[in-house]
Amino acid sequence: MKKYIKYIFSTFFIAFISCNDHLDVVPDQRLEIDNIEKLEATLVGAYNNSRGYRFTHFSSDDVELAEDVFSDHPIIEDLYTWSKDIRNQTDQDSPSEFWRSTYRSIAQANLVLEKASLIKVVTTEESVKLSLIIAEAKLLRSYYHFMLVNIFGKHYNTSSSQDLGVPYVEKVENSLNPEYKRQSVEEVYNKSEQDLLDAINSIQKDNTSFKNNKYRFTLATMYAYAARFYAFRNRDAKDQDEVIKYAAKSLDYFQGKNNLPFLEELNSNPNATIDIQRSDVGMVQYSWSFLPFNYVYQSTFNIKKILEKNPLNLVDLRFAINYTRSGNVFIPANYFVFNSQNIGIQAVDVFPLVEVILNKAEAHIRKEEFQQAKDLLSEIGEKCYENYEDSLFDIKTLLSFYETTSVKDAWTQYLLHERRNSLFLKGFRWFDLKRYNMDVSHKLKDGTVISLLQTLPNKAYQIPSYAISNGITPNN
């Protein structure tokens, strides 16, 4: 373990002193990686565990103008108002820092892939381990580019072959100022898919050591990512089938959809927020966030009332316990684990079991396989609603509640409700707003009300200013 820490520190140090500001790619002054242990230590350092994407929460409809709260912060104001010129470009909880740290992680993964070809293996065990390290590096490279394109590009659609995505970086650069260009959204998805499938194919051949680690990809979370990938792309019926296939594989490794915890039991222990021993926890990330603090734009008890309103007319236990905050700020207790200094570093599960269930249900709804969707959503209802009974859950109830005559529309609206509540404060809501092209209205401190579709119709965050100054094309 001490060797791992030594080499992880070394690789991070190299990444931080990079002269290439716009992508933070590691230059050619690197440590010598000449065995599998050093290679795996470098791979561990590729995990982006300091900058999350929960800043998207402040751009969503889960945030509004709070009452009797006066603390403000430029980054939150810019996120809330969908500014195209975000200040605090070095703030830890910002799009620009997600860009910087994620490309730094991609550089680490590329370094692993470059050095892997130079590692000499003797035994079959070493050969298998090397193959898994290469696969995991490709998996990371795929996932990070996928998240980047979904934050800084348009949602995948019929114009994705022309829409600007992000640079897809596949090699370690040796120059101080390499030139990069934004590839199309479609190109980024295609390259991400190829890396993803390469990783899956390799790992499926021999996966004996690819499991049981809540801080790295496992079989459960690898398949969870694959299900998310195809759910987001949703190009055709084949993609929907891929979601169902990979979600089913993920559920198998999560030991089934019934491993969701009963919220009534979880609420009896507010400190059990992210227990890595829980079977429903996929991959834990620790990062800094503004989410649980008192700011003028924040989740409120008004938002809580909206979230709690459901077709079943039952108490939603996901919001039963909350931290005490100023004014009407509402922060449920079961979403964070603070560090010992209580300074804003929280744990979040970026691949929870519940998302896998929701992605599979969504694919079934898109295929109009409503009974399969109901069976999955009922599992969530049983664990999350007080006095839940399956008999309460029928299509007539949904049609009436959502005031629609379309069965598919009713199921879709209920699915989005469950996604919103189950993934609250994790940063997922923004992507659902984007995928379903939903509008949001935000009231500002001066009483002005602004619309998301009018202000930022593509829902793509602006490329960081330091990247633009180095030649990366900005968003319009």
Side-chain angles (χ1 to χ4, degrees):
M1 180 59 71
K2 289 182 178 179
K3 285 197 300 183
Y4 273 32
I5 294 171
K6 173 183 176 182
Y7 288 113
I8 291 169
F9 176 81
S10 299
T11 51
F12 268 123
F13 176 75
I14 289 170
F16 272 107
I17 64 171
S18 168
C19 295
N20 179 17
D21 291 335
H22 63 289
L23 289 181
D24 270 335
V25 176
V26 182
D28 199 34
Q29 298 175 353
R30 328 188 256 281
L31 76 161
E32 184 179 1
I33 303 173
D34 53 8
N35 59 49
I36 289 181
E37 287 72 25
K38 293 178 183 178
L39 192 69
E40 185 168 20
T42 306
L43 175 66
V44 172
Y47 277 85
N48 186 0
N49 201 29
S50 60
R51 305 289 186 268
Y53 49 83
R54 281 172 289 172
F55 58 82
T56 59
H57 169 75
F58 292 105
S59 301
S60 77
D61 53 352
D62 286 338
V63 174
E64 67 173 2
L65 178 64
E67 300 170 6
D68 300 320
V69 178
F70 308 101
S71 297
D72 205 348
H73 197 289
I75 188 67
I76 295 178
E77 183 176 24
D78 290 342
L79 292 167
Y80 182 80
T81 58
W82 311 299
S83 173
K84 295 179 182 178
D85 184 21
I86 292 179
R87 294 164 285 179
N88 293 65
Q89 293 271 314
T90 59
D91 200 289
Q92 296 178 73
D93 201 20
S94 69
S96 55
E97 272 301 288
F98 182 79
W99 172 285
R100 189 196 306 271
S101 63
T102 304
Y103 273 115
R104 182 180 296 128
S105 292
I106 290 168
Q108 293 277 110
N110 284 333
L111 181 59
V112 170
L113 292 170
E114 179 189 84
K115 292 297 185 180
S117 63
L118 305 177
I119 302 296
K120 297 185 185 302
V121 295
V122 177
T123 67
T124 301
E125 182 182 1
E126 288 177 334
S127 179
V128 169
K129 188 171 185 178
L130 180 62
S131 176
L132 290 176
I133 288 172
I134 292 170
E136 190 173 354
K138 286 188 174 183
L139 186 60
L140 280 170
R141 186 169 70 181
S142 169
Y143 170 61
Y144 288 140
H145 282 106
F146 169 79
M147 293 308 302
L148 283 164
V149 78
N150 277 287
I151 288 173
F152 295 100
K154 294 181 183 179
H155 176 58
Y156 194 98
N157 61 79
T158 55
S159 66
S160 288
S161 61
Q162 286 81 44
D163 295 336
L164 287 177
V166 295
Y168 202 98
V169 183
E170 298 177 272
K171 63 180 181 178
V172 177
E173 293 293 347
N174 297 323
S175 63
L176 292 178
N177 273 310
E179 292 186 7
Y180 290 98
K181 67 172 185 174
R182 296 178 67 179
Q183 292 164 292
S184 72
V185 171
E186 184 177 65
E187 287 174 320
V188 175
Y189 263 82
N190 289 345
K191 287 177 178 291
S192 289
E193 182 180 32
Q194 189 59 61
D195 273 343
L196 171 61
L197 294 178
D198 285 349
I200 289 174
N201 289 336
S202 293
I203 291 166
Q204 285 180 156
K205 291 177 183 177
D206 192 323
N207 55 42
T208 53
S209 64
F210 199 77
K211 55 187 175 181
N212 301 327
N213 190 327
K214 296 298 176 73
Y215 299 100
R216 290 167 63 177
F217 270 110
T218 62
L219 291 166
T221 53
M222 175 181 73
Y223 291 127
Y225 163 46
R228 185 191 299 178
F229 177 94
Y230 289 107
F232 276 38
R233 190 171 72 173
N234 191 36
R235 186 171 57 190
D236 49 31
K238 183 180 177 182
D239 275 0
Q240 295 160 15
D241 290 337
E242 293 296 288
V243 175
I244 293 169
K245 178 181 73 175
Y246 286 119
K249 287 177 178 288
S250 180
L251 290 176
D252 285 344
Y253 285 103
F254 268 116
Q255 301 172 26
K257 64 181 186 295
N258 60 347
N259 267 328
L260 284 175
F262 282 95
L263 266 294
E264 191 168 9
E265 298 174 4
L266 190 62
N267 286 340
S268 66
N269 180 14
N271 294 320
T273 316
I274 299 292
D275 179 355
I276 63 171
Q277 302 305 318
R278 272 182 19 215
S279 57
D280 67 302
V281 173
M283 188 162 76
V284 175
Q285 179 190 57
Y286 286 87
S287 60
W288 198 94
S289 175
F290 285 117
L291 265 63
F293 300 113
N294 296 326
Y295 287 106
V296 67
Y297 300 123
Q298 187 56 283
S299 295
T300 68
F301 280 89
N302 297 332
I303 298 291
K304 178 177 182 282
K305 289 179 181 178
I306 294 171
L307 299 175
E308 290 180 319
K309 190 175 181 181
N310 61 80
L312 310 181
N313 197 29
L314 297 175
V315 174
D316 194 328
L317 297 171
R318 286 169 286 203
F319 307 110
I321 302 175
N322 64 278
Y323 291 109
T324 302
R325 287 289 181 256
S326 300
N328 68 335
V329 170
F330 169 71
I331 303 295
N334 273 324
Y335 286 80
F336 298 105
V337 171
F338 288 88
N339 71 339
S340 57
Q341 287 76 40
N342 198 31
I343 59 173
I345 298 177
Q346 303 104 30
V348 64
D349 186 359
V350 295
F351 284 109
L353 168 60
V354 70
E355 189 212 358
V356 181
I357 296 172
L358 290 162
N359 283 337
K360 192 171 189 292
E362 180 180 48
H364 283 302
I365 290 170
R366 286 169 166 171
K367 291 172 65 67
E368 300 190 6
E369 298 170 347
F370 302 124
Q371 184 58 50
Q372 291 93 321
K374 179 182 177 180
D375 291 344
L376 290 159
L377 295 172
S378 293
E379 191 66 44
I380 297 174
E382 180 185 0
K383 303 299 176 63
C384 296
Y385 292 108
E386 189 174 62
N387 300 321
Y388 176 86
E389 293 181 16
D390 196 51
S391 60
L392 299 171
F393 193 12
D394 60 53
I395 188 57
K396 291 182 180 179
T397 302
L398 297 186
L399 290 170
S400 174
F401 184 84
Y402 292 114
E403 300 179 347
T404 180
T405 58
S406 167
V407 173
K408 188 174 185 178
D409 179 55
W411 279 111
T412 299
Q413 290 198 55
Y414 182 69
L415 171 91
L416 289 171
H417 165 82
E418 288 301 312
R419 286 185 65 89
R420 186 178 185 182
N421 287 16
S422 295
L423 302 171
F424 187 63
L425 294 183
K426 295 179 185 291
F428 286 75
R429 178 62 174 173
W430 176 251
F431 302 106
D432 286 350
L433 296 173
K434 193 169 184 175
R435 294 190 304 135
Y436 285 87
N437 197 32
M438 291 185 279
D439 199 8
V440 176
S441 294
H442 277 173
K443 184 178 181 180
L444 310 184
K445 289 179 292 185
D446 63 3
T448 304
V449 177
I450 60 175
S451 161
L452 172 57
L453 289 181
Q454 292 179 346
T455 308
L456 196 68
N458 295 330
K459 302 181 181 69
Y461 290 102
Q462 183 58 280
I463 302 298
S465 58
Y466 53 77
I468 295 172
S469 66
N470 280 284
I472 302 294
T473 304
N475 288 325
N476 295 328

